[in-house]
Amino acid sequence: MKKFRATTIAGLMLVMLLVSTLSLVFVNLAKAQYAADAYTVGLWHLDEVKPDEYMEITPDAMGYNHGTLGGETPPALVEGKFGKALSFNVSSFIYVPISFLVGFPPTPQPIYIPISPNLDIQKELKIEAWINVRAFTNASYNNIVVKCTRTGPLVEDVTRVFGLAVKPSLEQNENGVLSGCVFTDSGGFNEIVTTEPIISLNQWTNVAFTRTSTGMHLYVNGEEKNVKAIHGVQNPTGSIINGTEVYIGHDTEVIIDEVRISDLVPEKVVSAQIDIGNNLLIAIVIAVLAFAIAWVLRKAIQMWVIYSKSRD
């Protein structure tokens, strides 16, 4: 009997130890933030805002792609899934430049000056974030993360390159559908959505979008969801085109935490990042202007020479 009691007590202690260990594991998982790995090209914890000359930024944990807060009312720090996070209203956003669009006459084509070329993912990518949607807006895309390419100075002069967003259901007239898209050089614009609304209001949800060799996929809290293509196909061909900027938030009422963009097939040779500041940007603009003026002078001299010869 004593032996049985001793064995029982030992068993109970082992169970309690196991439960305690598992509890610690789950607690640690619950408190875990995204960490950078070999595939991470951008990681924004969104838990701090720093002044930077005439603007405010939220840092990229990778050290390259810091985001600038923008909008009539910029995103505000609030309690998040992990510590602090940023709350977005319809007009607020975070802007991350990939390349600056510079075009001065008489240059026939716009000039793109690279800033963060590692955000120009060509083949396979992953976007992931924690979101707490407070309200669905009437915008076509309640953007979580979207990469665009700019073709002109106006706000609407952009094309979606890849993105993760919440939007209304086209068939059921319900909100809470998750959307993912890519624009490829041979397949054009392709977009998938979940077959039913899956995003609820006022609760934290982990969302992810991937484009891999098997096509485009959407995940909610780690579980892949059924999707359908509403533009193009689910598994488009070609390489993802380059872009000029990434936006976090915009046209949405949401709290966003822990945004990570990954290049799932990184090139062996990674292009160096350019840490561009206001002084360097001014120098670049001056250089472009000097080039344009030199081009005009050269043409003027050529025309003068031709005119002089014609008179002779």
Side-chain angles (χ1 to χ4, degrees):
M1 188 69 177
K2 291 182 179 180
K3 184 177 181 181
F4 173 76
R5 288 180 178 175
T7 304
T8 302
I9 293 172
L12 288 174
M13 292 179 64
L14 180 61
V15 170
M16 292 175 63
L17 179 62
L18 181 60
V19 170
S20 176
T21 303
L22 288 174
S23 299
L24 289 174
V25 169
F26 287 126
V27 167
N28 287 333
L29 286 175
K31 293 182 178 179
Q33 293 178 301
Y34 288 148
D37 56 28
Y39 305 101
T40 305
V41 295
L43 174 58
W44 300 270
H45 296 304
L46 304 184
D47 55 6
E48 59 179 324
V49 173
K50 296 181 177 181
D52 182 49
E53 297 186 16
Y54 304 106
M55 61 191 72
E56 290 183 319
I57 66 167
T58 187
D60 168 23
M62 305 301 291
Y64 297 119
N65 306 308
H66 303 310
T68 300
L69 277 62
E72 295 179 3
T73 304
L77 280 174
V78 297
E79 292 302 316
K81 176 66 176 178
F82 307 100
K84 297 293 184 180
L86 284 176
S87 178
F88 297 78
N89 57 46
V90 175
S91 65
S92 61
F93 57 86
I94 293 172
Y95 165 77
V96 182
I98 300 175
S99 60
F100 282 123
L101 174 63
V102 181
F104 295 97
T107 55
Q109 297 293 333
I111 299 173
Y112 293 93
I113 301 172
I115 307 301
S116 298
N118 73 335
L119 291 175
D120 274 330
I121 301 170
Q122 302 292 321
K123 298 176 183 177
E124 302 182 14
L125 68 91
K126 184 176 185 180
I127 308 169
E128 51 196 322
W130 282 90
I131 62 172
N132 188 331
V133 180
R134 294 172 296 154
F136 299 114
T137 73
N138 293 327
S140 299
Y141 295 94
N142 290 204
N143 292 300
I144 301 167
V145 179
V146 59
K147 173 183 170 182
C148 302
T149 184
R150 180 166 294 282
T151 56
L154 301 179
V155 174
E156 60 269 20
D157 293 338
V158 294
T159 299
R160 297 176 76 88
V161 174
F162 62 65
L164 175 63
V166 179
K167 61 186 301 180
S169 170
L170 298 179
E171 297 177 356
Q172 303 177 37
N173 195 28
E174 294 180 304
N175 291 308
V177 170
L178 195 62
S179 161
C181 67
V182 295
F183 195 115
T184 67
D185 54 9
S186 62
F189 182 72
N190 304 271
E191 180 182 2
I192 59 170
V193 296
T194 54
T195 54
E196 59 183 3
I198 55 174
I199 302 299
S200 300
L201 295 179
N202 301 312
Q203 69 179 42
W204 283 104
T205 307
N206 179 252
V207 293
F209 167 68
T210 64
R211 189 268 178 129
T212 67
S213 60
T214 60
M216 298 185 291
H217 307 271
L218 289 167
Y219 301 84
V220 174
N221 294 325
E223 178 184 351
E224 184 170 3
K225 296 299 180 179
N226 293 326
V227 299
K228 61 181 178 181
I230 60 173
H231 295 288
V233 296
Q234 185 179 349
N235 192 1
T237 61
S239 298
I240 303 171
I241 65 172
N242 290 339
T244 56
E245 55 223 60
V246 167
Y247 292 97
I248 299 173
H250 202 267
D251 289 333
T252 187
E253 294 279 349
V254 66
I255 303 172
I256 304 180
D257 204 354
E258 293 297 303
V259 173
R260 180 166 62 178
I261 300 177
S262 301
D263 185 346
L264 303 181
V265 187
E267 297 292 335
K268 292 183 180 179
V269 179
V270 180
S271 300
Q273 305 298 295
I274 301 175
D275 185 8
I276 187 166
N278 290 337
N279 293 334
L280 181 54
L281 178 59
I282 292 172
I284 292 171
V285 172
I286 292 173
V288 173
L289 281 172
F291 168 79
I293 293 170
W295 191 92
V296 172
L297 290 175
R298 182 185 176 202
K299 286 295 181 182
I301 293 171
Q302 288 176 342
M303 293 300 295
W304 180 80
V305 171
I306 294 173
Y307 175 74
S308 300
K309 287 185 179 180
S310 65
R311 293 188 60 185
D312 294 341

